[in-house]
Amino acid sequence: MLRYLTAGESHGPALTAIVEGFPSGVTIDFKLINRELERRQGGYGRGKRQTLETDRVIIDSGTYHGVTTGAPITMRLINNDAKLERLQEPSAPRGGHIDLAGSINYQTGIRQVLERASARETAMRVAVGALAKLLLSQLGIEVCGYVVELGGIAAPPLTQDLAIRDASPVYTLNPQADPSIVAAIDAAKASGDTLGGILETVVTGCPMGLGSHAQWDRKLDGRLALAVLSIQAIKGVEFGLGFEAARRPGSKVMDSIQFDEQAPEKDRTFGFRRPTNNAGGIEGGTTNGEPIVIRAAKKPISTLASRGPSINMGTKQPQPATYERSDVCAVPAASVIVENVVAFEIAAAVVEKYVGTSLDGLRVSIAATSDLARRHLAEHWKTSTS
Ligand SMILES: Cc1cc2nc3c(=O)[nH]c(=O)nc-3n(C[C@H](O)[C@H](O)[C@H](O)COP(=O)(O)O)c2cc1C
């Protein structure tokens, strides 16, 4: 079982994760992990905090000469902006945050809960997801995320060229939409407001058969949705056509099945073809070999420079909500976070299905399982005609 936990406060000394069950034999590419961390800190519309932190991952355990050993991996990020004990207790809780419910739930002040609830924690989730990507890429599985809408401005992908996304100030694959989006962020900032958006992540190269239909908590779409919805400010998740499917008749939703007689012997989907991918790569909680397409809706930042109305916790009299240094728009960053948490869940599903303690073991197991499926396809239907 591949799993992880994170620890750390936004302005504490460090963020930490322990990743357990990660296979041996994967070479750590610090450059790749740090590049993902850097992307999370970037994107047009971020606040001053991102200029204070330069996230560089430290790995304290679970590797030998830069290669994973199968032992728990401890990952750490030092907070340059560590000042937890010097920060003031906010007097008026912010709507849209843990401030009020959390301090009542844990019988603490507001500071204690907001520090842990902060999206700074997602830096660790990106580091862990980037580690997972190192494993996935060795198995031919690629995960990529980008922005498809921001502040109500649509930016459908016009290309699959990631160099375009990486050159985009708002991480879209649509350079035509970028100037309007940047202008919308500027306008929101000028009026003390904030913007949300929609992120898409696509996973390619997944073997058919990750996840399971057999029990609710093993369904891969459910696991992915949990991981993505647990990201701060993500309020909706959809696969493939998503909510649009609810508006169409079944004939315009169901992906038909075809067979390619000319498919190569080692074809990844055993010769079966889907002319459409409305399901977004998952049917019955199980990957069907098509790209997994998952979209997430991120709400606008709740901390407003214009400070929304709130209550002073001492006097119970109206008072503007406390202002914590804040982003105007973190949608580009959220696309990086979604991409990386999805990568981790896919890696976890791979390790679970193929029971891998090592990278080589996973390779052998994936190949053997494919051979088994081919044998099943050749033999099981011999006697069946209808
Ligand atoms: C990358 C990222 C950056 C964020 N930055 C801020 C921020 O600067 N100010 C803020 O009020 N909320 C920010 N948020 C959102 C809050 O963390 C989140 O809304 C809050 O913790 C409450 O959780 P919930 O929205 O999931 O209910 C950010 C979220 C993400 C994903």
Side-chain angles (χ1 to χ4, degrees):
M1 181 179 175
L2 177 58
R3 59 192 169 139
Y4 74 101
L5 290 175
T6 70
E9 279 72 35
S10 181
H11 296 93
L15 299 166
T16 311
I18 295 185
V19 185
E20 214 263 321
F22 196 87
S24 68
V26 177
T27 302
I28 300 289
D29 181 345
F30 282 93
K31 229 167 116 186
L32 185 140
I33 298 174
N34 288 332
R35 197 180 66 221
E36 290 300 273
L37 289 167
E38 203 178 306
R39 287 205 307 123
R40 192 203 74 94
Q41 293 193 273
Y44 198 74
R46 299 305 302 272
K48 187 165 165 259
R49 173 86 193 259
Q50 303 314 317
T51 60
L52 301 176
E53 304 286 6
T54 308
D55 289 332
R56 295 278 175 272
V57 73
I58 299 163
I59 295 189
D60 289 324
S61 75
T63 63
Y64 185 68
H65 291 295
V67 180
T68 60
T69 62
I73 298 172
T74 312
M75 304 179 89
R76 198 155 44 92
L77 294 171
I78 304 287
N79 284 333
N80 292 332
D81 196 22
K83 54 181 179 190
L84 183 55
E85 309 298 335
R86 297 196 308 275
L87 287 170
Q88 276 187 342
E89 168 69 353
S91 52
R94 299 160 303 163
H97 278 273
I98 191 62
D99 302 11
L100 179 61
S103 68
I104 292 172
N105 192 16
Y106 280 79
Q107 299 101 52
T108 63
I110 292 172
R111 174 63 57 197
Q112 290 90 323
V113 288
L114 83 79
E115 281 289 326
R116 178 61 188 153
S118 156
R120 173 86 189 122
E121 182 258 349
T122 61
M124 211 61 250
R125 287 203 253 180
V126 167
V128 168
L131 177 74
K133 277 191 191 171
L134 297 177
L135 170 66
L136 293 177
S137 66
Q138 291 295 317
L139 303 172
I141 302 171
E142 300 295 336
V143 188
C144 111
Y146 43 88
V147 171
V148 291
E149 189 175 318
L150 204 160
I153 300 168
L158 299 178
T159 165
Q160 295 185 335
D161 182 357
L162 289 188
I164 301 283
R165 177 199 68 184
D166 294 342
S168 162
V170 284
Y171 300 1
T172 73
L173 287 168
N174 185 329
Q176 292 168 18
D178 286 357
S180 326
I181 291 177
V182 167
I185 295 172
D186 286 340
K189 185 174 185 184
S191 62
D193 220 328
T194 60
L195 296 177
I198 300 178
L199 317 324
E200 187 166 275
T201 289
V202 176
V203 187
T204 52
C206 257
M208 206 189 246
L210 290 185
S212 174
H213 66 284
Q215 194 57 263
W216 66 271
D217 60 350
R218 292 169 58 200
K219 295 190 179 213
L220 188 62
D221 43 3
R223 285 186 176 182
L224 286 168
L226 169 62
V228 172
L229 269 178
S230 72
I231 298 169
Q232 288 80 343
I234 298 297
K235 295 297 154 191
V237 178
E238 59 180 19
F239 293 86
L241 262 189
F243 276 45
E244 171 60 22
R247 301 183 194 107
R248 296 191 185 183
S251 57
K252 299 279 186 290
V253 174
M254 187 267 292
D255 300 311
S256 60
I257 301 174
Q258 300 173 352
F259 189 72
D260 178 6
E261 300 282 354
Q262 311 301 320
E265 200 203 336
K266 294 272 173 188
D267 186 62
R268 212 170 43 78
T269 53
F270 312 105
F272 296 100
R273 301 278 180 262
R274 315 304 284 264
T276 54
N277 184 22
N278 292 334
I282 300 180
E283 291 169 309
T286 306
T287 53
N288 62 11
E290 298 300 314
I292 297 174
V293 182
I294 180 165
R295 268 185 305 283
K298 182 183 179 298
K299 75 177 188 185
I301 300 282
S302 301
T303 307
L304 302 174
S306 55
R307 301 175 68 180
S310 184
I311 292 291
N312 180 292
M313 290 298 278
T315 65
K316 308 293 184 296
Q317 294 303 305
Q319 178 185 311
T322 301
Y323 181 74
E324 289 278 317
R325 191 179 50 212
S326 210
D327 301 320
V328 174
C329 173
V331 174
S335 73
V336 182
I337 303 163
V338 172
E339 171 180 334
N340 280 285
V341 304
V342 165
F344 187 87
E345 290 310 313
I346 299 295
V350 166
V351 169
E352 183 175 323
K353 166 146 181 137
Y354 301 105
V355 196
T357 54
S358 69
L359 176 57
D360 282 345
L362 282 175
R363 286 195 179 113
V364 169
S365 175
I366 290 171
T369 307
S370 292
D371 288 344
L372 192 66
R374 278 185 199 96
R375 216 166 59 224
H376 164 78
L377 284 166
E379 289 170 11
H380 183 79
W381 309 102
K382 266 185 191 154
T383 52
S384 168
T385 50
S386 60

